[in-house]
Amino acid sequence: MVLSRGARWAAGVTAAVCMVLLLGSSTPSVPSPAPLPPGAAGAVVADRVGTWNICNPCGSGQDFGRATEIATYAPQVIGLQEACVRDVERIRDYLEEAYGLVYRVEYGSVLRNWNRCGGLPWRPGGYGQAILSAAPMTDRVSVEYPDGGSEDRGYLAVTTLVGGRPVRVFNTHLAERRQPQVRAGQVRVLAAEVARHDRAIVLGDFNAVPDAPELGPMWALARDTDPGCRPTAADADAGGGADGCAVTTDWNSKFDYVFLRGITPRTHHVRPSPYSDHHLLYTDLG
């Protein structure tokens, strides 16, 4: 059957409308800015870095709340784990349009996953790490670990400015908690690269408590910014030790770290959030 010109036009319009409904608008509408709590940063803090596993609950319905959390502390650099590209895009839009905070972004996606990150079956969303930085980033490297465990894992590294000085920043997410041998191999890969830099910041969800044996290579290179958190018996005798670490998850474990190499921390903060089962960590550097 041959359709008339009018019928063909109507069919074309209907198909276009269906595609718009299927794909959605590429630019999210920006809600009215939520009032930030007293003491909120108000502008990007040049010597502040942070880390946050933003999933659980996953999904873009949490993105404005996550942007508000980041805006409250406004770190110069923040590493995000379990990050879907389209969610991070929305978070960046909200940060700029609702709060006037402009961040660059680099991605270290290790999966293309439709069930987790949406998209279309033939073009699923990217999932993995992301780094937001108020300063430009260069020399991006994204590495998948040879063995990801139950799910592909990796690290993302960039060079950027923190406190006005260049520094190599790493962001990683290690294998899930019941896979210590897999994490041990991943830490060896990460530590070998961190060791090449005199000044480095390593952010991430390590899925391991501080005295877990697999974290030994990281502790040999750098120290976490939590002043009460040290893994060795000698440090425990000095008032630190794993028992002195502030928990960073809803299940009362420390899994999240800001490791510093060649840099001195000045403060350390852990902030629980309703938008993830991991707490947002940030630290101000000396």
Side-chain angles (χ1 to χ4, degrees):
M1 182 176 64
V2 178
L3 295 176
S4 68
R5 180 180 298 176
R8 290 197 302 271
W9 180 86
V13 170
T14 300
V17 169
C18 290
M19 286 301 294
V20 169
L21 292 175
L22 177 64
L23 297 176
S25 172
S26 60
T27 304
S29 59
V30 178
S32 299
L36 298 178
V44 170
V45 182
D47 62 353
R48 179 171 292 174
V49 297
T51 184
W52 194 17
N53 182 322
I54 61 174
C55 199
N56 288 327
C58 301
S60 59
Q62 307 290 331
D63 290 338
F64 187 71
R66 291 170 180 146
T68 301
E69 294 281 281
I70 294 171
T72 299
Y73 311 111
Q76 172 80 6
V77 171
I78 185 166
L80 305 177
Q81 303 89 43
E82 294 202 57
C84 293
V85 168
R86 87 173 21 90
D87 289 347
V88 176
E89 289 172 347
R90 291 191 184 98
I91 290 170
R92 285 183 69 216
D93 286 340
Y94 294 149
L95 283 166
E96 181 172 1
E97 296 181 29
Y99 299 110
L101 301 175
V102 179
Y103 284 96
R104 285 85 168 173
V105 64
E106 291 289 355
Y107 295 102
S109 296
V110 293
L111 289 173
R112 299 287 170 182
N113 192 300
W114 179 72
N115 287 330
R116 190 188 292 273
C117 290
L120 297 171
W122 58 90
R123 196 177 69 180
Y127 171 83
Q129 288 71 245
I131 294 176
L132 299 181
S133 173
M137 292 175 277
T138 61
D139 303 319
R140 171 191 172 274
V141 174
S142 181
V143 174
E144 283 193 39
Y145 294 122
D147 183 359
S150 57
E151 180 180 83
D152 292 346
R153 296 289 165 92
Y155 73 81
L156 170 66
V158 301
T159 298
T160 189
L161 297 178
V162 177
R165 297 185 62 189
V167 64
R168 194 66 171 164
V169 178
F170 295 81
N171 181 23
T172 193
H173 185 196
L174 300 189
E176 63 97 15
R177 70 185 81 173
R178 289 175 292 275
Q179 298 176 316
Q181 294 304 315
V182 176
R183 287 196 302 275
Q186 295 170 348
V187 171
R188 286 193 294 270
V189 172
L190 177 63
E193 184 60 28
V194 173
R196 297 178 60 243
H197 302 274
D198 294 331
R199 285 172 44 83
I201 299 169
V202 186
L203 312 169
D205 173 5
F206 284 71
N207 267 323
V209 294
D211 53 4
E214 63 267 28
L215 295 192
M218 280 306 307
W219 288 111
L221 291 171
R223 283 202 164 183
D224 183 58
T225 60
D226 186 341
C229 188
R230 301 290 181 264
T232 67
D235 283 324
D237 292 341
D243 291 340
C245 302
V247 301
T248 67
T249 66
D250 287 352
W251 55 91
N252 295 321
S253 294
K254 177 177 172 63
F255 277 7
D256 306 271
Y257 298 81
V258 177
F259 282 110
L260 300 180
R261 176 172 169 82
I263 303 170
T264 303
R266 184 161 50 86
T267 66
H268 176 78
H269 307 270
V270 180
R271 297 290 185 254
S273 168
Y275 304 108
S276 175
D277 60 354
H278 286 254
H279 307 340
L280 189 155
L281 273 67
Y282 72 91
T283 187
D284 297 330
L285 306 181

